[in-house]
Amino acid sequence: MKRLTITTLLAVALLSGCSSKEDVIPDVPPSNLYATAQTALQKGNWTSAIEQLEALDSRYPFGAYSDQVQLDLIYAYYKSDDLALGEATIERFLRLNPDNPQADWVVYMRGLTHMAQDRSFMHDMFNINRFDRDPTPSRQAFKDFKYLLERYPESEYGADAKARMIFLKNRLANYDLSTADFYIRREAWIAAINRCQQIQRLYPDTEAARQSLALEKTAYEKLNLQKEVERTDKLMKLNPAN
């Protein structure tokens, strides 16, 4: 008898897992499946809800519940931290249903999903605030919320989107400030100046913009640019950092 390779064993395990999952979901009418999924959603049992909704989506992709199933999956994926699946479902829904009455909510959920991608379990557990980590998800979330406000100005999610944009703006400004500080420590004076000016241009009303003036002044001093030092010093007096 030939020995099974690790790859074969993994494949068998995955197939068994898929088979057992299908066996768990009974072959019942779509209305029953949907009712079961709604009960799970109301109880916050995201895993069960997702199983029911995915089965419904797979078995009846063009059924009466199709759009609502997608909306429910977006929410359940978000709540269960299945962010990649949530994002894929959002993109699919917006592509197929651009004029859906709940499209503004889907765009809002895309922003929330991208925001959630900018954190990790370890950061949450130890309350770590890492401004220097890659802000790409936050940058995308900012674009999502901005698009929501422009495309759906009357959306009920607009007020919350605006509040989140303020948070995200500070997040992005702090990342650039951390980068400017890195350049200062590496004595990359021109790069530091450019990054500080970028903060002041893109995020002028943030604390990071005010703090960047001190870094910019240091870089000018190191380059012996006295006129720029004096100009920056005046700006610092007009905009004192907290």
Side-chain angles (χ1 to χ4, degrees), residues 78 81-88 90 109-121 123 133-138 140-141 144 171:
Y78 172 73
D81 273 339
D82 288 334
L83 302 176
L85 283 173
E87 186 175 356
I90 287 168
M109 288 302 300
R110 184 169 65 184
L112 292 185
T113 298
H114 281 131
M115 277 191 76
Q117 291 172 357
D118 193 24
R119 60 174 172 77
S120 74
F121 172 74
H123 292 151
R133 67 185 182 275
D134 180 16
T136 298
S138 280
Q140 186 56 56
D144 292 331
R171 157 76 175 104

Side-chain angles (χ1 to χ4, degrees), residues 69-223:
V69 165
Q70 294 297 309
L71 295 170
D72 289 342
L73 275 171
I74 288 168
Y75 183 70
Y77 284 142
Y78 172 73
K79 295 297 287 185
S80 64
D81 273 339
D82 288 334
L83 302 176
L85 283 173
E87 186 175 356
T89 307
I90 287 168
E91 296 304 330
R92 171 190 172 191
F93 186 91
L94 290 175
R95 185 176 67 254
L96 298 176
N97 306 278
D99 299 320
N100 186 279
Q102 296 193 62
D104 63 328
W105 177 82
V106 178
V107 173
Y108 172 71
M109 288 302 300
R110 184 169 65 184
L112 292 185
T113 298
H114 281 131
M115 277 191 76
Q117 291 172 357
D118 193 24
R119 60 174 172 77
S120 74
F121 172 74
M122 295 300 290
H123 292 151
D124 291 344
M125 176 177 285
F126 296 106
N127 196 27
I128 299 172
N129 198 349
R130 288 285 306 280
F131 291 130
D132 58 345
R133 67 185 182 275
D134 180 16
T136 298
S138 280
R139 190 172 287 115
Q140 186 56 56
F142 188 90
K143 292 179 181 178
D144 292 331
F145 293 132
K146 183 179 180 182
Y147 175 77
L148 171 67
L149 295 175
E150 293 173 347
R151 179 68 176 81
Y152 308 100
E154 303 301 321
S155 173
E156 63 181 293
Y157 309 104
D160 188 69
K162 288 180 181 178
R164 290 179 183 277
M165 286 177 72
I166 293 173
F167 171 85
L168 290 166
K169 181 169 61 175
N170 281 284
R171 157 76 175 104
L172 296 171
N174 284 325
Y175 172 79
D176 279 350
L177 185 66
S178 176
T179 303
D181 181 65
F182 171 80
Y183 288 144
I184 289 290
R185 289 184 280 111
R186 290 298 183 93
E187 300 183 0
W189 311 123
I190 299 299
I193 290 169
N194 288 338
R195 188 54 65 105
C196 288
Q197 291 178 345
Q198 175 176 297
I199 299 170
Q200 295 154 22
R201 183 177 68 256
L202 297 178
Y203 319 110
D205 55 344
T206 63
E207 178 63 20
R210 290 186 285 272
Q211 292 181 12
S212 71
L213 291 170
L215 297 179
E216 187 177 4
K217 179 182 176 182
T218 297
Y220 285 137
E221 289 172 340
K222 295 296 183 179
L223 293 171

Side-chain angles (χ1 to χ4, degrees), residues 43-62:
K43 292 182 177 179
N45 189 343
W46 313 121
T47 300
S48 177
I50 288 170
E51 289 178 351
Q52 304 292 328
L53 292 167
E54 285 179 341
L56 191 54
D57 185 47
S58 175
R59 296 174 188 176
Y60 310 98
F62 305 107

